[in-house]
């Protein structure tokens, strides 16, 4: 444990301690007589002394001292009861502190820094009680210090605080990092020097963990072009994840008003706590990983074993329980996972108390047995209450289940194949499954399709079928080969999680189709325009039947989610979904894609697609550095790959090949699209490196996609899109889509789901800030044509204007009306507005008339003059024009403004005089008006 630094004189202590490790700044020592044989008389005496002392006077056998060169005074900073414990502290000092100390000029500075750091670590460890909300006194003390140091309004909610160092140049500054709902704040007072830093979450464009020679691990924050580095955290991962959450929370709250209004946590920021944010993060990861409805909240997690009947092993993993689902994933997530909806459960029992076993049986006659479950008695009681069951029905053993006796659980029951025998059916033996008369009339392609179907049937017999089937490496391998045409719709529903949405909302689609029928909006107009552009060469959409089904699905979704409405590319995706799924199934598949798997893709700003393109660029730098070294502008990859992400390669690949990509997408999510994109670039690496410009590179990639085929596709030639192209380019090298997907998994399969999600979070901040910067530049460019402010002054004024809008959002108790003043779908000049109260605040800060006794009246009259449409809001151009007159206008211009401000609202025609009418005002009239108001 860390100790509050105290002086130690080694001259008098050398006989009691033995130095084991030392460096110029720290010493690790062991107490004599501990951990040694025959330690001599001194060791025997010390050991005896320690043994006879009571527990309160005993000395820990290991300690760490801080020292500085040429000093006899040492400081005790840590102690430990075991070698492992003390070595953890030593390693932490080496990794986080040692390299830093060399930057100080004097020994006193080094000692002051180390003492401050250790005190911070002690406070950090003591704060664990606050995390559990068991000791509010420490938090109350920190809150008072936070309020006193930064002077923020009382409504600003402190979430948590950490001890760390902030780097001012090459010198660390030890202090406290405070994380509140709207700001990242840092305070330090060391050697008589005070330092404060406040950064608004919505101004952060880059937030990442970094590592350098000087800093082993630090958190890098980029805000308004300035870099900030924080290091020496006791729990850096926990700190970073919480900072990521708060930054993401601010972005959503300020730039996505629909999400804000529909989310109870975001809608009441005063209720945010550290524990609540951690629970929210776990729930979001849970629903994303298992493809569950976003409303699901993770309730409890149990580490346990699940019996896997088809491999006869117990897999170690985590059981995750939410309001409506029980899910399991092995620690190696790609090995085994399953989802059990509570609506499917018919029985729950405690089958074996000695191994703490819980057995769950479902309507599909499957039985799942979990063992070594913590608190399994109370878990069974809670699950029975949720499922309204008491004891399980007797269900005979099936290929995915178990008998109730222990022998079956121990794996003594034979494996069963699709015919009920204990013989394992190999791929080579699949030919014997069909009747001779069946195989005689099948061409090789249809025979391969039947073999695929039989492979899946064997998998179903072992792993189960439906929502509760086991996901294994075998199922992934079968998906890579391409899902059979007859099973594609069923498995898309299963792997995407759409089956859960549909099962939880019976009759929803029929109801929403009726409600949306006959509605007229911008979305329905765009849908009608694009209906016959959706796979026009496919026979299914050359008749009114297919077109009508497509119209109903798209219109129903636009009615369900007006935030998205309709976006181009949705028609192409929905067309493909309708080829393999029923109307209602296609609708729920579209919901899964737009709202969970590709969030924020299908809106006017396509933020989600831009985020994933930024992730794609990051992966190209990591896996294909030759390309990044060759390409002078990385935006090429963004421009060329946008359609890949928006349409899942459907727009660039023949339909018979594209559906195989969609297979992998529904199984692996965006990871599959990223892997395939990297594979396409790697496949064409040599040609791309030889390109002289972007146009040539685009031509190469288009030619490559034209030559991607699916040699095993059973689709008729009239449907296949690659047939005519292939005939024209017989000399071109053909690439089979199955081989391309298999290579993408072999070459880039190491990309982890967790890494992709982390990169998405990190790049989302950057993308949104980039869009905001573009908005600011466009506004400044337009407004600068009508004012005399310099571009730099105008940018600063725009920042102040926008910040005033957001500050009201920060601390307003009910700010939904304020958030409505920001609409990113509007033209950039009209995206931000402020009301009269906000204008008055800025008028007090900026106006040269702020010292007038009538400043409030002047602010009100100015706002009334600017608000021409009387909606109680003004935009930035109107705001800038008023202050341009105040700062850059002539005396005559300012007098005219003052004159207009005093005209009563009834005389609005006078207040809106044209420049020619203003010129008719004589100098005498202006001077007389000036004298009346003492100007």
């Amino acid at each position: 444990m860390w100790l509050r630094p105290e002086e130690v004189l080694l001259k008098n202590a050398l006989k009691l301690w033995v130095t084991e490790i030392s460096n110029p700044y720290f010493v690790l020592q062991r107490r004599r007589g501990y951990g040694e044989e025959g330690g001599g008389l001194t060791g025997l005496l010390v050991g005896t002394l320690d043994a006879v002392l009571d527990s309160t006077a005993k000395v820990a056998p290991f300690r760490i001292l801080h020292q500085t060169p040429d000093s006899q005074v040492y400081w005790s900073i840590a102690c430990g009861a075991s070698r492992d414990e003390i070595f953890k502290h030593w390693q932490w000092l080496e990794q986080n502190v040692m390299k830093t100390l060399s930057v100080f000029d004097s020994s006193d500075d080094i000692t002051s820094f180390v003492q401050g750091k250790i005190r911070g670590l002690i406070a950090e460890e003591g704060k664990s009680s606050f995390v559990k909300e068991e000791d509010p006194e420490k938090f109350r003390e920190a809150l008072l210090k936070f309020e006193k140091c930064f002077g923020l309004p009382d409504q600003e909610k402190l979430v948590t605080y950490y001890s760390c160092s902030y780097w001012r140049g090459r010198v660390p500054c030890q202090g406290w990092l405070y994380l509140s709902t709207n700001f990242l704040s840092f305070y330090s007072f060391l050697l008589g020097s005070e330092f404060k830093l406040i950064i608004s979450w919505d101004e952060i464009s880059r937030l990442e963990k970094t590592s350098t020679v000087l800093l082993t691990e630090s958190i890098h924050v980029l805000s308004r072009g300035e870099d900030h580095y924080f290091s020496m955290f006791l729990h850096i991962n926990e700190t970073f994840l919480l900072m990521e959450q708060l930054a993401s929370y601010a972005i959503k709250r300020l730039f996505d008003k629909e999400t804000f209004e529909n989310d109870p946590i975001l809608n009441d920021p005063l209720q945010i706590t550290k524990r609540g944010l951690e629970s929210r993060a776990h729930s979001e990861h849970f629903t994303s990983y298992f493809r569950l409805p976003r409303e699901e909240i993770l309730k409890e997690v149990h580490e346990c074993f699940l019996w896997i009947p088809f491999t006869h092993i117990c897999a170690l993993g985590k059981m995750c329980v939410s309001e409506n689902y029980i899910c399991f994933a092995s620690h190696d997530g790609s090995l085994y996972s399953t989802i059990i909806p509570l609506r499917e459960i018919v029985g729950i029992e405690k089958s074996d108390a000695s191994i703490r076993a819980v057995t769950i049986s479902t309507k599909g006659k499957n039985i799942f047995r979990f063992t070594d479950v913590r608190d399994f008695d109370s878990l069974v009681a809670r699950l029975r209450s949720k499922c309204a069951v008491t004891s399980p029905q007797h269900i005979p053993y099936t290929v995915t289940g178990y008998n109730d006796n222990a022998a079956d659980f121990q794996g003594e029951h034979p494996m069963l194949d699709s015919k009920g025998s204990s013989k394992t059916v190999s791929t080579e033996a699949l030919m014997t499954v069909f009747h001779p008369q069946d195989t005689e009339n099948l061409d090789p392609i249809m025979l391969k399709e039947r073999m695929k179907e039989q492979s899946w049937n064997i998998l179903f017999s072992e792993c189960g079928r439906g929502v509760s089937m086991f996901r294994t490496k075998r199922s992934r391998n079968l998906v890579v080969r391409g899902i059979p045409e007859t099973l594609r719709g069923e498995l898309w529903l299963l792997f995407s999680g759409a089956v859960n949405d549909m099962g939880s909302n019976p009759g929803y689609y029929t109801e929403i189709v009726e409600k949306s029928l006959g509605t007229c909006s911008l979305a329905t107009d765009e849908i009608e325009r694009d209906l016959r552009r959706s796979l026009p060469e496919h026979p299914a959409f050359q008749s009114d039947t297919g077109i009508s089904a497509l119209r109903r699905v798209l219109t129903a979704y636009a009615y369900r989610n007006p935030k998205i409405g309709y976006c181009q590319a949705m028609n192409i995706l929905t067309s493909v979904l309708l080829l393999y799924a029923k109307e209602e199934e296609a609708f729920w598949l579209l919901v899964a894609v737009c709202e969970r798997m590709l969030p924020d893709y299908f809106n006017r700003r396509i933020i989600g697609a831009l985020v994933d393109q930024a992730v794609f660029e990051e992966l190209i730098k990591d896996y294909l550095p030759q390309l990044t070294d060759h390409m002078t502008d990385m935006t090429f990859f963004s421009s060329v790959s946008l359609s890949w992400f928006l349409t899942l390669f459907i727009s660039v690949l023949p339909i018979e090949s594209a559906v195989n990509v969609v297979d992998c997408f529904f199984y692996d999510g965006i990871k599959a699209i990223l892997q395939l994109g990297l594979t396409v670039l790697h496949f064409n690496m040599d040609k791309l490196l030889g390109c002289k410009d972007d146009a040539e590179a685009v031509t190469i990639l288009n030619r490559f996609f034209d030559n991607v085929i699916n040699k095993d596709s059973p689709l008729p030639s009239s449907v296949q899109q690659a047939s005519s192209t292939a005939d024209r380019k017989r000399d071109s090298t053909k690439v089979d889509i199955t081989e391309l997907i298999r290579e993408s998994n072999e070459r880039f399969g190491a990309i982890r789901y967790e890494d992709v999600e982390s990169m998405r979070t990190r790049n989302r901040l950057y993308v949104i800030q980039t869009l905001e910067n573009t908005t600011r530049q466009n506004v400044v460019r337009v407004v600068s044509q009508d004012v005399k402010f310099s571009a730099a002054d105008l940018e600063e004024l725009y920042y102040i204007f926008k910040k005033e809008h957001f500050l009201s959002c920060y601390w307003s108790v009910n700010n939904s009306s304020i958030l409505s003043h920001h609409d990113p779908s509007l033209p950039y000049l009209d995206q931000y507005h402020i009301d009269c109260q906000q204008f008055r605040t800025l008028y007090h800060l900026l106006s040269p008339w702020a010292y007038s006794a009538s400043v409030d009246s002047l602010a009100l009259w100015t706002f009334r003059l600017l608000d021409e449409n009387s909606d109680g809001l003004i935009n930035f151009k109107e705001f800038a024009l008023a202050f341009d007159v105040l700062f850059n206008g002539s005396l005559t211009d300012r007098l005219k403004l003052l004159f207009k401000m005093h005209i009563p609202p009834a005389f609005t025609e006078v207040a809106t005089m044209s420049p020619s009418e203003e010129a008719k005002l004589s100098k005498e009239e202006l001077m007389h008006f000036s004298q009346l108001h003492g100007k």
Side-chain angles (χ1 to χ4, degrees):
M1 57 181 279
W2 299 107
L3 302 175
R4 190 171 298 277
E6 293 183 358
E7 288 188 12
V8 175
L9 292 178
L10 286 191
K11 184 177 180 179
N12 300 325
L14 287 175
K15 295 181 180 180
L16 300 179
W17 296 88
V18 178
T19 298
E20 296 210 334
I21 307 175
S22 66
N23 59 45
Y25 301 106
F26 300 102
V27 178
L28 190 154
Q29 296 183 330
R30 172 180 50 80
R31 186 85 163 167
R32 285 188 183 276
Y34 183 86
E36 61 181 15
E37 295 181 3
L41 180 59
T42 304
L44 181 61
L45 290 174
V46 173
T48 303
L49 179 66
D50 290 344
V52 299
L53 291 175
D54 60 29
S55 60
T56 60
K58 283 184 178 179
V59 179
F62 295 95
R63 71 178 182 179
I64 296 177
L65 306 179
H66 164 60
Q67 65 173 348
T68 54
D70 305 324
S71 175
Q72 291 297 317
V73 179
Y74 287 60
W75 298 83
S76 62
I77 60 174
C79 68
S82 67
R83 195 179 300 272
D84 290 341
E85 180 185 355
I86 203 68
F87 264 90
K88 289 180 180 179
H89 288 67
W90 181 265
Q91 290 171 357
W92 190 92
L93 290 170
E94 284 188 327
Q95 295 173 3
N96 295 277
V97 178
M98 272 294 297
K99 296 178 182 179
T100 306
L101 299 181
S102 61
V103 305
F104 291 99
D105 297 328
S106 69
S107 298
D108 291 341
D109 290 344
I110 292 174
T111 299
S112 296
F113 176 79
V114 171
Q115 289 179 354
K117 187 64 199 172
I118 298 304
R119 290 191 182 100
L121 292 176
I122 294 171
E124 187 78 13
E125 289 182 336
K127 187 165 65 69
S128 61
S129 59
F130 150 65
V131 173
K132 299 176 183 178
E133 298 177 359
E134 295 171 354
D135 186 8
E137 193 61 36
K138 290 182 180 292
F139 181 68
R140 189 178 297 111
E141 180 181 340
L143 178 60
L144 291 174
K145 186 175 180 181
F146 169 73
E147 294 174 347
K148 179 180 178 181
C149 291
F150 302 104
L152 296 171
D154 295 339
Q155 297 93 325
E156 182 64 16
K157 173 73 183 304
L158 177 64
V159 177
T160 190
Y161 58 99
Y162 297 96
S163 169
C164 71
S165 294
Y166 173 75
W167 287 79
R168 303 175 67 182
R170 294 178 60 84
V171 179
C173 180
Q174 178 63 31
W176 290 93
L177 179 69
Y178 297 90
L179 306 181
S180 57
T181 49
N182 301 298
F183 296 98
L184 177 158
S185 309
F186 178 83
Y187 178 82
S188 173
F189 186 84
L190 193 63
L191 300 176
S193 176
E194 184 180 55
F195 175 74
K196 297 180 183 180
L197 175 71
I198 301 178
I199 301 174
S200 176
W201 290 117
D202 65 275
E203 294 175 358
I204 294 177
S205 55
R206 181 71 69 182
L207 180 62
E208 58 189 350
K209 284 195 298 184
T210 61
S211 180
T212 64
V213 176
L214 189 62
L215 299 176
T216 304
E217 264 194 315
S218 63
I219 296 176
H220 171 221
V221 177
L222 177 62
S223 173
R224 301 193 71 192
E226 294 186 15
D227 294 299
H228 307 274
Y229 291 91
F230 302 87
S231 66
M232 301 188 194
F233 291 94
L234 187 60
H235 305 291
I236 190 170
N237 291 329
E238 172 193 302
T239 309
F240 178 73
L241 290 175
L242 195 61
M243 292 171 69
E244 259 191 344
Q245 271 190 283
L246 287 169
S248 176
Y249 157 82
I251 291 296
K252 289 180 181 179
R253 195 160 72 93
L254 300 177
F255 297 106
D256 189 352
K257 62 183 182 182
E258 287 86 357
T259 300
F260 173 84
E261 292 168 352
N262 296 328
D263 193 311
I265 295 180
L266 298 185
N267 200 24
D268 190 3
L270 298 180
Q271 300 302 317
I272 291 178
T273 62
K274 180 176 182 292
R275 176 184 290 182
L277 288 173
E278 290 174 344
S279 299
R280 183 184 180 90
H282 293 154
S283 291
E284 289 175 351
H285 183 277
F286 166 70
T287 56
S288 176
Y289 185 87
F290 289 105
R291 309 276 171 78
L292 299 177
R294 297 173 70 176
E295 299 78 24
E296 285 298 309
I297 297 177
L298 182 62
K299 297 293 186 181
E300 48 189 306
V301 178
H302 301 271
E303 188 166 281
C304 60
F305 290 90
L306 175 61
W307 172 244
I308 311 297
F310 47 90
T311 58
H312 289 206
I313 66 170
C314 285
L316 176 62
K318 290 183 178 180
M319 175 201 291
C320 303
V321 182
S322 68
E323 195 65 35
N324 298 293
Y325 298 90
I326 299 173
C327 304
F328 177 88
S330 62
H331 284 318
D332 177 4
S334 62
L335 199 57
Y336 304 105
S337 64
T338 189
I339 301 170
I340 310 172
L342 298 189
R343 64 179 182 272
E344 295 291 319
I345 294 177
V346 296
I348 303 171
E349 72 168 345
K350 295 175 286 186
S351 52
D352 190 339
S354 63
I355 56 176
R356 294 180 295 175
V358 177
T359 302
I360 298 175
S361 52
T362 66
K363 295 177 182 177
K365 297 186 178 181
N366 298 327
I367 301 178
F368 301 88
R369 183 172 297 190
F370 300 90
T371 58
D372 283 340
V373 181
R374 177 173 51 87
D375 299 329
F376 78 112
D377 286 316
S378 58
L379 175 64
V380 168
R382 288 193 298 273
L383 292 179
R384 284 179 178 174
S385 174
K386 287 183 179 181
C387 302
V389 297
T390 53
S391 59
Q393 300 175 7
H394 177 70
I395 299 176
Y397 177 84
T398 67
V399 294
T400 57
Y402 327 85
N403 275 333
D404 290 335
N405 58 63
D408 293 320
F409 180 68
Q410 297 298 327
E412 297 178 6
H413 199 285
M415 293 282 290
L416 299 179
D417 65 10
S418 59
K419 292 189 176 183
S421 69
S422 59
K423 180 180 178 181
T424 301
V425 181
S426 64
T427 303
E428 292 77 10
L430 287 176
M431 294 289 292
T432 63
V433 173
F434 305 112
H435 296 292
Q437 60 269 27
D438 292 334
T439 58
E440 289 176 0
N441 299 324
L442 292 176
D443 59 32
I445 292 179
M446 291 306 301
L447 185 58
K448 286 184 178 180
E449 186 73 3
R450 291 285 184 89
M451 291 170 65
K452 282 186 190 178
E453 292 177 10
Q454 188 60 18
S455 296
W456 277 98
N457 287 332
I458 293 174
L459 182 74
F460 292 150
S461 71
E462 296 179 355
C463 301
R465 187 167 187 169
V467 66
S468 297
M469 76 173 286
F470 282 99
R471 276 78 158 176
T472 67
K473 288 185 177 180
R474 281 184 59 197
S475 56
R476 177 190 298 278
N477 292 337
L478 290 179
V479 170
V480 169
R481 289 172 52 191
I483 298 176
E485 297 282 309
T486 56
L487 297 175
R488 187 161 271 139
E490 174 188 344
L491 294 178
W492 281 1
L493 277 173
L494 177 64
F495 296 142
S496 67
V499 64
N500 295 313
D501 293 318
M502 190 168 67
S504 303
N505 297 276
Y508 177 86
Y509 177 68
T510 303
E511 178 183 348
I512 203 169
V513 166
E514 293 176 355
K515 290 181 179 179
S516 63
L517 193 64
T519 58
C520 185
S521 63
L522 177 61
T524 56
D525 292 341
E526 292 176 342
I527 290 171
E528 289 298 326
R529 181 191 63 200
D530 289 344
L531 281 176
R532 299 192 180 275
R533 303 177 186 175
S534 311
L535 301 184
E537 68 285 345
H538 198 286
F541 300 100
Q542 293 174 353
S543 65
D544 290 338
T545 303
I547 295 295
S548 298
L550 180 61
R551 179 188 291 112
R552 285 191 293 271
V553 173
L554 291 174
T555 304
Y557 186 78
Y559 185 87
R560 165 190 167 86
N561 192 346
K563 173 186 171 183
I564 293 177
Y566 170 78
C567 179
Q568 283 189 337
M570 288 175 65
N571 60 320
I572 298 175
L573 176 61
T574 308
S575 299
V576 174
L577 298 179
L578 282 168
L579 293 178
Y580 296 97
K582 299 175 182 177
E583 249 189 69
E584 182 178 6
E585 296 171 343
F587 171 80
W588 287 113
L589 283 169
L590 186 62
V591 169
V593 171
C594 295
E595 298 178 13
R596 284 202 309 274
M597 303 186 72
L598 297 179
D600 295 329
Y601 260 60
F602 301 100
N603 54 39
R604 298 190 183 278
R605 305 179 89 187
I606 57 171
I607 289 176
L610 296 177
V611 169
D612 283 342
Q613 284 185 299
V615 172
F616 187 50
E617 289 182 11
E618 197 172 326
L619 292 173
I620 293 173
K621 293 177 183 177
D622 292 340
Y623 289 91
L624 304 174
Q626 308 97 309
L627 272 182
T628 57
D629 294 341
H630 176 73
M631 303 297 293
T632 56
D633 186 5
M634 287 293 291
T635 57
F636 162 75
F637 298 110
S638 297
S639 59
V640 76
S641 65
L642 181 60
S643 62
W644 305 356
F645 290 94
L646 284 174
T647 66
L648 308 180
F649 284 92
I650 295 172
S651 63
V652 295
L653 287 175
I655 185 64
E656 65 273 13
S657 299
V659 291
N660 284 39
V661 178
V662 179
D663 293 343
C664 297
F665 168 74
F666 280 130
Y667 194 89
D668 274 332
I670 193 62
K671 176 177 176 285
I673 305 301
L674 293 168
Q675 288 179 182
L676 185 59
L678 291 172
T679 306
V680 169
L681 296 180
H682 181 268
F683 196 93
N684 294 277
M685 175 80 75
D686 294 337
K687 295 178 181 179
L688 291 174
L689 292 177
C691 290
K692 298 178 181 179
D693 53 39
D694 292 353
E696 185 179 353
V698 171
T699 302
I700 289 172
L701 292 174
N702 288 338
R703 189 174 298 142
F704 170 79
F705 287 128
D706 286 341
N707 286 280
V708 174
I709 62 172
N710 187 349
K711 62 183 181 182
D712 295 333
S713 173
L715 293 177
S717 57
S718 60
V719 173
Q720 294 192 27
Q721 298 174 346
S723 56
S724 59
T725 305
D727 292 340
R728 291 197 305 267
K729 301 182 179 179
R730 295 181 184 278
D731 56 333
S732 300
T733 303
K734 304 297 184 295
V735 180
D736 183 62
I737 186 62
T738 304
E739 295 301 321
L740 195 65
I741 293 174
R742 182 177 288 114
E743 183 177 350
S744 75
N745 277 271
E746 293 174 355
R747 188 175 296 276
F748 303 109
I751 298 174
R752 298 169 61 244
Y753 160 81
E754 292 81 5
D755 295 335
V756 171
E757 290 302 312
S758 177
M759 286 189 284
R760 272 180 158 181
T761 302
R762 181 168 65 249
N763 284 285
R764 183 178 180 83
L765 296 174
Y766 172 76
V767 166
I768 290 180
Q769 291 299 341
T770 300
L771 292 174
E772 286 300 305
N773 290 339
T774 302
T775 299
R776 186 191 69 246
Q777 293 167 3
N778 289 332
V779 169
V780 169
R781 177 177 53 81
V782 172
V783 176
S784 63
Q785 300 173 7
D786 300 317
V787 299
K788 297 177 183 178
F789 282 118
S790 66
D793 289 341
L794 205 54
E795 285 202 9
E796 189 65 24
L797 195 64
Y798 179 77
Y799 170 77
I800 294 172
F801 178 86
K802 189 178 80 169
K803 200 64 185 175
E804 177 59 31
H805 163 82
F806 283 156
L807 287 175
S808 296
C809 296
Y810 291 162
W811 299 311
S812 175
V813 176
N814 184 12
N815 51 16
S816 59
S817 60
I818 296 174
L819 278 178
S820 65
H821 301 174
H822 173 235
D823 189 349
S825 66
L826 293 175
Y828 45 77
L829 197 58
D830 294 322
Q831 286 189 14
Y832 296 101
H833 294 83
I834 59 175
D835 58 24
C836 185
Q837 180 60 36
Q838 293 168 309
F839 178 80
R840 190 177 71 170
T841 301
L842 293 180
Y843 200 88
H844 275 267
L845 293 173
L846 303 176
S847 173
W849 297 341
Y851 295 101
S852 169
S854 305
V855 62
D856 286 331
S857 299
L858 291 171
L860 175 61
W861 296 338
T862 305
F863 182 85
R864 185 183 64 193
L865 180 65
L866 298 175
D867 184 18
E868 295 182 356
N869 60 359
S870 300
D871 64 348
L873 299 171
I874 62 171
N875 62 25
F876 176 69
K877 184 175 182 179
E878 294 164 337
F879 176 81
L881 288 173
F883 279 89
D884 184 56
V885 173
L886 294 179
F887 283 98
N888 302 317
S890 64
L891 177 61
T892 302
D893 293 333
R894 281 178 279 177
L895 287 173
K896 287 179 179 179
L897 175 63
L898 199 58
F899 178 78
K900 290 181 182 179
M901 288 162 47
H902 284 71
I903 298 175
F907 300 97
T908 53
E909 67 279 359
V910 181
T912 56
M913 287 188 293
S914 65
S916 59
E917 291 172 328
E918 290 179 358
K920 295 178 182 178
L921 291 172
S922 66
K923 290 185 178 180
E924 289 77 10
E925 290 175 310
L926 291 173
M927 291 299 295
H928 176 67
F929 184 79
S930 176
Q931 292 171 0
L932 284 175
H933 293 275
K935 302 293 180 185

